[in-house]
């Protein structure tokens, strides 16, 4: 059938077919390229959003650093008030020393067991002393001014039979220990 078509016609037909094939391949490739372009534009938009969020966070970095510094300072304050287990020996020695300085005759000094409560533990110390009323007041005043929290409760005062010491007192001095595992 192509033999009846003149040579220039055959060339035109083949050229037309070649152009049609190229156009078809181009259209199919163009469709794939458009899908790729759309996907890449979507990824670009996501990355630009992440960059904007990152810059917003970066702009707030000094604020976050101040907050961290503030929280670290507060943690230091809490740890000053609530000692860790390692510091309880120093605290016990301090209480005994203050008792000696306040002219208390320590009859019994019995540290109890740690009792877990939320993020801290209570550390009760049962004490019995023989002293004068004023000296007991001096001791309690010194305890109240200590940098750590120490509660004195269950205070019972009786008359003592000693001529120099006029009262016998028993009480519980409870301090609090920071519990790192409770978080």
């Amino acid at each position: 059938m192509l033999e009846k078509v003149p040579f220039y016609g055959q060339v035109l037909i083949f050229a037309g077919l070649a152009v049609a094939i190229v156009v078809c391949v181009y259209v199919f490739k163009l469709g794939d390229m458009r899908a790729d372009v759309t996907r890449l534009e979507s990824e670009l938009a996501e990355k630009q959003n992440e960059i904007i969020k990152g810059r917003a966070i970066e702009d707030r970095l000094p604020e976050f650093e101040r907050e961290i510094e503030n929280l670290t300072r507060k943690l230091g304050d809490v740890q000053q008030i609530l000692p860790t287990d390692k510091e309880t020996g120093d605290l016990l020695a301090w209480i005994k020393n203050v008792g000696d300085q306040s002219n208390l005759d320590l009859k019994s000094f019995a540290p109890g067991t740690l009792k877990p409560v939320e993020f801290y533990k209570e550390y009760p110390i049962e004490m019995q002393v023989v002293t004068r009323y004023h000296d007991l007041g001096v001791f309690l005043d010194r305890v109240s001014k200590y940098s750590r929290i120490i509660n004195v409760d269950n205070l019972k005062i009786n008359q003592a039979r000693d001529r120099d010491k006029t009262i016998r007192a028993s009480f519980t001095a409870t301090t609090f220990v920071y519990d790192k595992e409770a978080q």
Side-chain angles (χ1 to χ4, degrees):
M1 173 175 191
L2 283 176
E3 296 128 9
K4 296 181 184 176
V5 178
F7 179 72
Y8 66 89
Q10 289 178 4
V11 171
L12 284 175
I13 290 174
F14 282 117
L17 283 174
V19 168
I21 290 173
V22 168
V23 167
C24 287
V25 169
Y26 182 73
V27 167
F28 287 121
K29 286 282 188 184
L30 186 61
D32 290 343
M33 287 181 167
R34 282 187 184 152
D36 287 344
V37 167
T38 303
R39 182 182 52 80
L40 290 173
E41 285 175 342
S42 173
E43 288 178 15
L44 177 63
E46 287 177 22
K47 297 296 181 189
Q48 286 175 335
N49 283 337
E50 288 179 22
I51 289 170
I52 290 169
K53 288 178 185 177
R55 286 186 178 147
I57 291 171
E58 182 182 23
D59 291 343
R60 294 184 61 199
L61 184 61
E63 178 184 337
F64 291 142
E65 289 172 342
R66 282 190 305 273
E67 183 72 18
I68 289 171
E69 186 179 305
N70 187 25
L71 292 173
T72 302
R73 189 172 13 86
K74 285 182 181 180
L75 178 61
D77 292 346
V78 167
Q79 287 176 335
Q80 180 69 25
I81 294 169
L82 294 174
T84 62
D85 287 335
K86 297 174 187 170
E87 298 169 347
T88 54
D90 295 339
L91 183 62
L92 296 176
W94 180 85
I95 290 174
K96 185 168 180 350
N97 187 32
V98 168
D100 292 343
Q101 290 173 1
S102 301
N103 201 22
L104 272 68
D105 287 342
L106 196 58
K107 296 299 179 184
S108 120
F109 185 84
T113 59
L114 292 170
K115 298 174 187 171
V117 182
E118 294 183 24
F119 64 91
Y120 64 92
K121 297 177 185 177
E122 290 183 351
Y123 192 34
I125 304 163
E126 299 292 330
M127 296 178 69
Q128 290 183 356
V129 297
V130 176
T131 187
R132 294 181 307 192
Y133 185 79
H134 175 75
D135 293 336
L136 179 61
V138 169
F139 171 77
L140 295 175
D141 181 57
R142 287 181 180 170
V143 167
S144 74
K145 292 179 179 163
Y146 191 57
S147 64
R148 296 191 177 120
I149 300 171
I150 301 174
N151 290 343
V152 175
D153 56 0
N154 300 327
L155 178 62
K156 295 178 184 134
I157 300 175
N158 298 313
Q159 182 178 358
R161 302 203 187 275
D162 194 329
R163 45 187 293 248
D164 195 27
K165 310 291 182 180
T166 58
I167 62 169
R168 176 177 294 277
S170 64
F171 54 88
T172 304
T174 303
T175 188
F176 305 91
V177 178
Y178 179 66
D179 188 4
K180 292 179 183 175
E181 289 84 35
Q183 297 179 6

